[in-house]
Amino acid sequence: MSILSPCSSQPSAHAEDGVSARLAGPLQPLASLAYNLWWSWQPGGSELFAAVDEQRWNASGYNPVKLLRDVPASRLAAVSRDVEFVARSQALAGALVEELRKPWAEDTGPTPQKPVAFLCAEFGLHASLPIYSGGLGVLAGDVLKEASDRGLPMVGLGLFYRRGFFHQRLDRSGWQNESWIESNPEELPMRLEVDAQGNPRLVHITLRGHAVHAQVWHVQVGRVPLFLLDTNVVQNAPVDRWITSTLYIGDRAFRVMQYAVLAIGGLRALRMLGITPSTVHLNEGHAALASLELAREAVAAGADFERAIAAVRERVVFTTHTPVPAGNEHYEAQELLDLLGHLPAELGIDAQRLLALGRPHPTDASQPFGVSELALRTSRRANAVSARHEEVARQMWQSLWPGVAFENLPITHVTNGVHLPTWMAPEFRELLRRHLPAGWMEGDARAWAAVDGIPDAEIWAARRALRARLVDYVRTKSIADRLARGEPISYVEGAARTFEPSVLTLGFARRVAAYKRLQLLVRDPDRALALLRGPRRLQLVIAGKAHPSDEGAKRLVQRIFGLKGGEGASSHVVFLEDYDLAVAHELVSGCDVWLNLPRSPLEASGTSGMKVALNGGLNLSVLDGWWCEGYEPQTGWALPAHPDLGEEAQDAQDADALYGLLEREVVPCFYGQSEGEVPCAWVTRIRASLRKVGTTFTTRRMLGEYIERVYRA
Ligand SMILES: *Cc1c(COP(=O)(O)O)cnc(C)c1O
């Protein structure tokens, strides 16, 4: 049986049986829904589980498996007698069965027998599966969902981290503290791959001269399986059990062991499960060691090293996701040989030849081993994630192809997109469903042209509804955050008066990394406060986590947090703690304007702005990453990039331009009408932005391009 066949996603392992056993006949459909993340992007999916027990649903972190394990039997009995509820759950479960029966697309290159294997260090599929940190993971999650929707034969490979996500708490001074909540796999929507006796099936990887074992978790994402390797098994020594403990673990030796488990273990897991990928897609350099595993196989089958590498290149494709140096890791020769010292002999080469594959200059023995260099040298296609990023990546890596002209370098681009069903809020989806002809969900430009016919008042009503929901959310969450920080009661109660539903709402949420330049918001505090206090004021919601070991980023969080202390501003600036997928959904749907201030050209793509535009929000961003392609004078606002200026001069210029745009254009346009009327000029921009993003910056368009330019090429 192919692992991609519908039967393989049926309930089977023990945790799943436990949930299933709790559900009486009419509620059985809930078990199959809970164990397939497909529910999370269907209209009515969350609402269905929320209806089981709203409080427990919220407390579970929107996790159906945990909900169904924890909810009292009496409550289950009550909902099983609710005819309307039972009908709804049967309808959704029936639709899932239909979905799983659909044939796979046939013209895409890969087939169910020979799928694309998509390797990534993190997957952000849903807030309830905490194995992601940020944009890379969320994109990878969106890719799997889109592959399922369009029937592209694909399997995902990743790692299961019990500490896959840290929680952020600020103290009263705004200083970030982190805490890890270890995931309990029994409470997650996944099952172990087991043998006929019910024992976990293990893959074995030689690391540091001894065997390390990993079990394999299976997460079902619609039609697409995602396999997560996990070294926390009793057969391993404690140190090896720790390898997959923590996402992006700080210690370098552990980090590179993780990459080996992902890449080498991942391919071995596929072999164990009887899957032979036609294409191995390295989504970022973390997975690059997969090329060496494929080479080892080819050598074991009789090829010499050169022929083996040529064969690897036929099968591997690589996507690079960032020009930031920390994202393109390098390891000293000794670090790599400590880990994989047995490998040169298995490949029939000496260590220097192996190391040369990852050195910027192969013959320079002083250079470290780069995972991105390895991936570039061993893939048939490499792509950046926006047109601008392609330029930058070519400049970065031109020296890997001596003698090849710049325009002939084998790096192309596929600009990122977001999964529309995941990121468009129900209010907008319903609005478009009513007004647009069939085909709009698939990005058909003719269907999207009908956006121009939607009455101003309806678009504005949807925006008002989404903004009002965000204001509600901000108030509720601020009360909880302030209580947890131990703030005085008057300040806690003041949270109920923060934000107003009719006020222009700006959002800025992203990882607090230096190149994202959160600090520009507070560069001129007086000018910022004037905007927050003026008669036609704006309100600002900020969220973002600093890496636990990044003190500079934490100080920045603290400075931003301090902005609320400005007189008259406290009710108009909010820092929401613990940015995650759930918080992201609220922010990207509720904000009117989304700010993005990267230091050009370091934003390879960026995706949160696309999510905002799908919900009728507008972008104000530095011209970098995707915005170089998304910006038109009608779709939003752009700050010109000055990559040639010094950092200080860039910051000064960009901060000035940001405040200027807000004062002169954004605020007047939003408040251009008298009280209670629809701001027509603003709505005209919403239409242009929606059309642009709906037709262009979705995973529908993106995966189509991967098929054309990368998988089939
Ligand atoms: C979309 C998303 C990101 C990526 O946003 P950028 O614009 O690339 O910074 C990060 N985190 C979460 C939770 C997201 O949903």
Side-chain angles (χ1 to χ4, degrees):
M1 184 184 71
S2 160
I3 200 82
L4 290 163
S5 73
C7 305
S8 67
S9 66
Q10 295 305 303
S12 74
H14 55 283
E16 201 162 341
D17 293 344
V19 167
S20 194
R22 297 202 70 210
L23 300 170
L27 295 184
Q28 270 299 316
L30 290 179
S32 60
L33 288 169
Y35 278 90
N36 189 327
L37 285 165
W38 182 82
W39 68 265
S40 69
W41 72 92
Q42 305 311 312
S46 315
E47 291 79 359
L48 182 71
F49 288 112
V52 173
D53 184 332
E54 183 143 15
Q55 261 189 7
R56 278 201 173 71
W57 174 243
N58 295 337
S60 74
Y62 318 108
N63 176 344
V65 173
K66 186 162 165 47
L67 170 79
L68 296 176
R69 283 164 57 99
D70 293 353
V71 67
S74 58
R75 180 65 201 149
L76 285 177
V79 287
S80 75
R81 289 189 299 270
D82 177 342
V83 181
E84 187 268 345
F85 177 85
V86 169
R88 264 203 291 162
S89 58
Q90 282 170 350
L92 198 60
L96 173 57
V97 171
E98 286 294 301
E99 181 70 19
L100 295 175
R101 282 207 190 110
K102 280 192 196 158
W104 293 92
E106 282 182 354
D107 54 349
T108 55
T111 64
Q113 289 70 39
K114 297 195 148 200
V116 174
F118 184 85
L119 281 71
C120 193
E122 50 169 313
F123 285 90
L125 286 153
H126 190 256
S128 62
L129 187 57
I131 52 168
Y132 65 94
S133 124
L136 178 69
V138 178
L139 184 84
D142 278 7
V143 165
L144 298 191
K145 293 173 187 173
E146 182 64 41
S148 173
D149 286 350
R150 67 188 296 147
L152 171 69
M154 180 179 273
V155 299
L157 283 174
L159 297 176
F160 174 58
Y161 313 94
R162 279 175 177 71
R163 300 164 155 219
F165 194 89
F166 74 82
H167 293 278
Q168 174 194 50
R169 278 248 159 261
L170 302 190
D171 67 17
R172 284 163 66 178
S173 78
W175 187 255
Q176 170 180 306
N177 295 300
E178 304 89 25
S179 61
W180 296 90
I181 299 176
E182 290 207 5
S183 297
N184 172 3
E186 304 247 311
E187 290 178 343
L188 296 177
M190 54 190 204
R191 61 185 173 82
L192 262 185
E193 291 293 340
V194 294
D195 61 20
Q197 287 74 48
N199 300 314
R201 301 179 72 181
L202 298 179
V203 294
H204 316 285
I205 311 135
T206 305
L207 297 179
R208 300 190 302 151
H210 64 269
V212 171
H213 315 282
Q215 58 187 6
V216 182
W217 295 97
H218 179 153
V219 178
Q220 195 61 34
V221 185
R223 294 194 266 171
V224 169
L226 166 62
F227 300 106
L228 301 174
L229 280 81
D230 175 10
T231 63
N232 188 10
V233 297
V234 291
Q235 291 84 349
N236 281 334
V239 164
D240 293 334
R241 292 180 69 160
W242 194 250
I243 295 173
T244 56
S245 62
T246 313
L247 176 59
Y248 299 134
I249 193 165
D251 184 272
R252 288 168 60 81
F254 272 113
R255 182 86 73 98
V256 70
M257 284 195 274
Q258 290 188 338
Y259 297 163
V261 172
L262 167 65
I264 302 170
L267 291 180
R268 293 185 183 177
L270 290 188
R271 203 175 320 127
M272 178 177 82
L273 296 166
I275 300 168
T276 310
S278 54
T279 293
V280 173
H281 186 161
L282 312 176
N283 196 47
E284 194 56 312
H286 311 130
L289 297 173
S291 291
L292 301 182
E293 168 66 1
L294 291 171
R296 191 196 59 77
E297 279 182 13
V299 169
D304 66 23
F305 179 68
E306 291 304 329
R307 284 225 313 281
I309 290 293
V312 168
R313 219 175 266 132
E314 289 299 302
R315 286 177 74 192
V316 174
V317 301
F318 169 52
T319 303
T320 173
H321 283 270
T322 180
V324 176
N328 292 283
E329 291 174 37
H330 286 88
Y331 290 88
E332 294 306 325
Q334 202 51 50
E335 287 180 298
L336 192 77
L337 295 176
D338 285 348
L339 181 75
L340 296 171
H342 62 286
L343 196 55
E346 290 186 3
L347 292 170
I349 55 174
D350 63 18
Q352 291 308 314
R353 188 115 171 252
L354 176 68
L355 293 167
L357 280 175
R359 286 187 191 128
H361 295 282
T363 53
D364 182 348
S366 70
Q367 287 187 334
F369 183 95
V371 290
S372 299
E373 284 84 349
L374 172 65
L376 286 163
R377 285 212 180 90
T378 56
S379 50
R380 72 165 188 270
R381 276 279 180 288
N383 72 281
V385 291
S386 70
R388 175 82 181 103
H389 181 218
E390 179 190 324
E391 288 285 304
V392 176
R394 283 170 175 246
Q395 279 157 15
M396 278 175 71
W397 283 310
Q398 186 165 19
S399 69
L400 294 195
W401 293 276
V404 178
F406 188 80
E407 59 278 13
N408 295 333
L409 292 172
I411 298 178
T412 176
H413 76 272
V414 175
T415 303
N416 283 343
V418 297
H419 184 239
L420 184 148
T422 296
W423 290 106
M424 185 179 274
E427 287 84 347
F428 257 78
R429 196 157 159 176
E430 182 50 28
L431 178 70
L432 297 191
R433 193 191 60 74
R434 276 194 283 117
H435 288 278
L436 269 49
W440 70 274
M441 292 276 286
E442 289 74 39
D444 177 356
R446 277 162 312 185
W448 279 89
V451 164
D452 290 351
I454 307 178
D456 283 2
E458 290 191 38
I459 293 180
W460 194 239
R463 281 301 318 150
R464 287 171 58 100
L466 289 177
R467 191 187 315 111
R469 212 171 68 196
L470 175 63
V471 168
D472 244 16
Y473 178 80
V474 164
R475 288 178 176 170
T476 311
K477 189 151 189 309
S478 305
I479 293 177
D481 286 356
R482 289 176 190 188
L483 282 170
R485 280 200 295 271
E487 303 274 15
I489 189 164
S490 60
Y491 183 59
V492 173
E493 288 180 333
R497 293 182 296 278
T498 49
F499 275 35
E500 291 165 39
S502 59
V503 169
L504 170 61
T505 305
L506 273 58
F508 186 106
R510 38 188 49 88
R511 269 181 311 117
V512 185
Y515 82 89
K516 302 267 191 185
R517 292 197 303 175
L518 190 62
Q519 70 272 18
L520 293 199
L521 293 179
V522 282
R523 202 180 150 91
D524 187 343
D526 291 338
R527 216 163 155 192
L529 287 172
L531 280 162
L532 292 162
R533 283 196 293 243
R536 300 181 133 191
R537 50 168 54 181
L538 50 82
Q539 53 201 10
L540 174 63
V541 52
I542 305 167
K545 290 157 60 173
H547 190 278
S549 54
D550 188 345
E551 300 269 317
K554 289 187 186 180
R555 274 194 297 277
L556 183 53
V557 168
Q558 198 168 31
R559 261 175 68 203
I560 298 289
F561 184 79
L563 192 60
K564 70 177 175 55
E567 204 182 320
S570 73
S571 59
H572 283 70
V573 189
V574 163
F575 189 101
L576 292 185
E577 292 177 8
D578 215 17
Y579 183 47
D580 70 353
L581 273 169
V583 177
H585 272 280
E586 302 291 339
L587 293 182
V588 300
S589 59
C591 288
D592 297 296
V593 175
W594 196 247
L595 301 175
N596 193 20
L597 307 166
R599 183 179 307 292
S600 166
L602 297 180
E603 180 88 310
S605 169
T607 51
S608 55
M610 304 171 186
K611 303 168 191 170
V612 168
L614 285 181
N615 292 288
L618 300 174
N619 281 275
L620 190 175
S621 169
V622 169
L623 275 177
D624 199 13
W626 81 281
W627 196 229
C628 295
E629 294 156 68
Y631 169 71
E632 290 166 17
Q634 278 299 309
T635 57
W637 294 275
L639 299 171
H642 317 276
D644 302 328
L645 289 182
E647 294 196 347
E648 174 55 29
Q650 275 184 40
D651 288 1
Q653 197 153 331
D654 292 349
D656 182 57
L658 166 69
Y659 294 126
L661 268 180
L662 289 172
E663 292 156 355
R664 284 191 318 274
E665 294 198 29
V666 179
V667 171
C669 183
F670 185 88
Y671 294 109
Q673 254 68 21
S674 35
E675 182 91 25
E677 282 177 35
V678 177
C680 307
W682 191 275
V683 174
T684 300
R685 283 175 177 272
I686 291 179
R687 282 202 189 85
S689 158
L690 250 182
R691 271 180 74 171
K692 181 89 185 179
V693 170
T695 52
T696 316
F697 296 101
T698 60
T699 44
R700 184 53 59 138
R701 186 271 313 151
M702 169 183 145
L703 224 54
E705 288 184 4
Y706 270 104
I707 291 167
E708 290 302 319
R709 292 191 204 166
V710 180
Y711 298 154
R712 267 213 299 242

